[in-house]
Amino acid sequence: MAKLELLQTLTGHKGIVWNVSWHPLGKMFASCGEDKIIKLWSKEGEHWVMKTVLVDGHQRTIREVSWSPCGNFLASASFDGTTAIWDKKSGQFECNATLEGHENEVKSVAWSPSGQLLATCGRDKSVWVWEVAGDDEYVCEAVLNIHNQDVKKVAWHPSSDILASASYDNTVKMYKEDQLDNDWACIATLQSHESTVWSLVFDKTGKRLATCSDDKTIKIWQEYNADNQEGVIVANKDSIWKCVCTLSGYHTRCVYDITWCHTTGLIATACGDDIIRVFKEVDNSDPNAPSFDLICTKPNAHSQDVNCVQWNPSGNQELISCSDDGEIKVWKFTED
């Protein structure tokens, strides 16, 4: 039997905790929420403790935090319309850059795998790509107005500068920079969800993408290159993305977040029914029509909506979650 064991419940935020983000080494994480504060947590012995509180970066709710791949920078996206970049060059974490441009709430922020690019998105329906131009200098590379509704989430491909965004318009868009004219363009639209796409995550290869939605489903998408062996027609493009699996009937309310472990291949979801679920791809399942089993269900994981789940990037099967109930929980996944 697979199970999620609660290791620790962390309190300290006032109001909703929107997001938790692991440091790349998995020995520390950041949390943020309605109280306009970022908290940094790390382990002392067997217990997680709050080490640092970052204040005065934002005027309103902080919706998401994201660590740079090098682990030296933390970006925070806020409903005040700005994205703050924090570092501790001075010896302690300080906000040393503020990115402005979105008309209103910034919903998500993500660093590219090289750490040279940053993406943000928001309620103004736009996706922005920023380039790191030097110490505390960030230049807007592109403003992509492709979605026709609020953009909920941005995520980068794990090894190349391909960006994906999820929106209230029920679609996922992918973007890439054209090497000839240096312009960013939409290279794919993924349509299959019947309601808002809340979150998305690539697998470790970057050839698959998992999305979660207000339609209570999870969808797995696969990329097919022009020279694919499966006979999938790719017309006038480098590749296309195709939905190869829909997981329905498991979630009873909106699925707010999804995380795909790059070590184990396990998928975990955060849902409005207060449950955390873990899915595993069936052994020897057809890669072009994969099957996933629900192997673990944690009812009442939180007392209200689960907003975010994240596997520890070290691959140690630790999972963190946060909720409208104001709590952060650290879990250990085990499979007998």
Side-chain angles (χ1 to χ4, degrees):
M1 278 293 292
K3 66 174 195 269
L4 268 182
E5 178 194 356
L6 180 63
L7 297 181
Q8 202 173 341
T9 299
L10 305 171
T11 56
H13 279 287
K14 291 190 176 81
I16 293 169
V17 186
W18 278 116
N19 189 245
V20 279
S21 174
W22 286 106
H23 184 275
L25 297 177
K27 297 187 185 320
M28 173 167 69
F29 66 86
S31 62
C32 66
E34 204 175 23
D35 58 10
K36 314 191 253 307
I37 289 170
I38 298 166
K39 294 178 186 287
L40 304 183
W41 309 79
S42 58
K43 247 180 174 174
E44 277 187 4
E46 289 302 301
H47 294 282
W48 290 92
V49 293
M50 187 174 61
K51 291 287 194 178
T52 309
V53 179
L54 306 183
V55 294
D56 301 330
H58 293 289
Q59 305 302 312
R60 291 184 61 198
T61 290
I62 304 174
R63 184 61 179 85
E64 190 166 289
V65 278
S66 174
W67 289 98
S68 63
C70 66
N72 293 332
F73 300 91
L74 181 70
S76 56
S78 169
F79 286 4
D80 66 12
T82 71
T83 301
I85 313 294
W86 308 76
D87 65 58
K88 56 175 185 179
K89 289 196 287 278
S90 67
Q92 58 190 27
F93 274 97
E94 291 177 336
C95 174
N96 284 316
T98 302
L99 313 185
E100 297 178 345
H102 283 283
E103 291 171 21
N104 40 42
E105 291 99 320
V106 187
K107 298 289 182 78
S108 178
V109 59
W111 298 84
S112 70
S114 67
Q116 290 304 298
L117 297 170
L118 197 63
T120 58
C121 66
R123 192 160 74 89
D124 61 9
K125 309 174 190 173
S126 70
V127 173
W128 290 52
V129 180
W130 309 80
E131 185 175 25
V132 181
D135 272 359
D136 305 331
E137 291 288 324
Y138 296 81
V139 176
C140 176
E141 280 269 292
V143 178
L144 300 158
N145 291 296
I146 312 293
H147 286 290
N148 56 35
Q149 294 284 348
D150 183 347
V151 191
K152 298 288 188 190
K153 185 85 172 179
V154 280
W156 290 93
H157 184 285
S159 54
S160 60
D161 288 341
I162 292 169
L163 178 65
S165 61
S167 170
Y168 198 73
D169 66 12
N170 308 354
T171 71
V172 168
K173 306 276 186 190
M174 291 205 182
Y175 316 88
K176 188 179 176 182
E177 187 178 25
D178 187 315
Q179 296 307 317
L180 294 175
D181 59 14
N182 291 350
D183 278 347
W184 283 79
C186 179
I187 56 167
T189 298
L190 282 54
Q191 284 178 295
S192 181
H193 281 294
E194 293 168 10
S195 190
T196 302
V197 187
W198 273 88
S199 191
L200 71 177
V201 62
F202 285 94
D203 77 345
K204 66 179 176 188
T205 68
K207 298 291 285 180
R208 279 181 172 179
L209 181 79
T211 56
C212 63
S213 168
D214 185 52
D215 66 12
K216 307 173 192 166
T217 71
I218 304 300
K219 290 184 184 283
I220 309 294
W221 308 77
Q222 182 142 316
E223 183 183 27
Y224 291 91
N225 294 324
D227 59 354
N228 72 82
Q229 304 299 304
E230 290 82 13
V232 176
I233 296 166
V234 181
N236 308 323
K237 292 182 180 178
D238 293 337
S239 66
I240 64 161
W241 288 81
K242 189 178 164 193
C243 180
V244 291
C245 175
T246 299
L247 298 171
S248 59
Y250 298 105
H251 301 86
T252 62
R253 293 189 60 187
C254 177
V255 190
Y256 289 116
D257 198 22
I258 186 160
T259 178
W260 201 332
C261 181
H262 287 185
T263 307
T264 63
L266 295 173
I267 290 173
T269 59
C271 187
D273 59 13
D274 314 342
I275 296 172
I276 295 172
R277 294 170 176 85
V278 180
F279 296 86
K280 183 181 185 178
E281 187 167 0
V282 174
D283 290 342
N284 304 318
S285 81
D286 179 352
N288 301 298
S291 303
F292 288 78
D293 284 338
L294 174 63
I295 59 167
C296 182
T297 302
K298 193 72 187 177
N300 307 117
H302 286 274
S303 61
Q304 294 179 51
D305 293 1
V306 188
N307 291 321
C308 177
V309 280
Q310 278 219 333
W311 290 111
N312 189 316
S314 72
N316 68 355
Q317 310 251 55
E318 260 178 354
L319 184 77
I320 44 175
S321 63
C322 64
S323 165
D324 279 10
D325 66 13
E327 294 183 342
I328 299 160
K329 295 192 177 184
V330 185
W331 309 87
K332 182 76 172 181
F333 176 80
T334 51
E335 209 176 350
D336 293 342

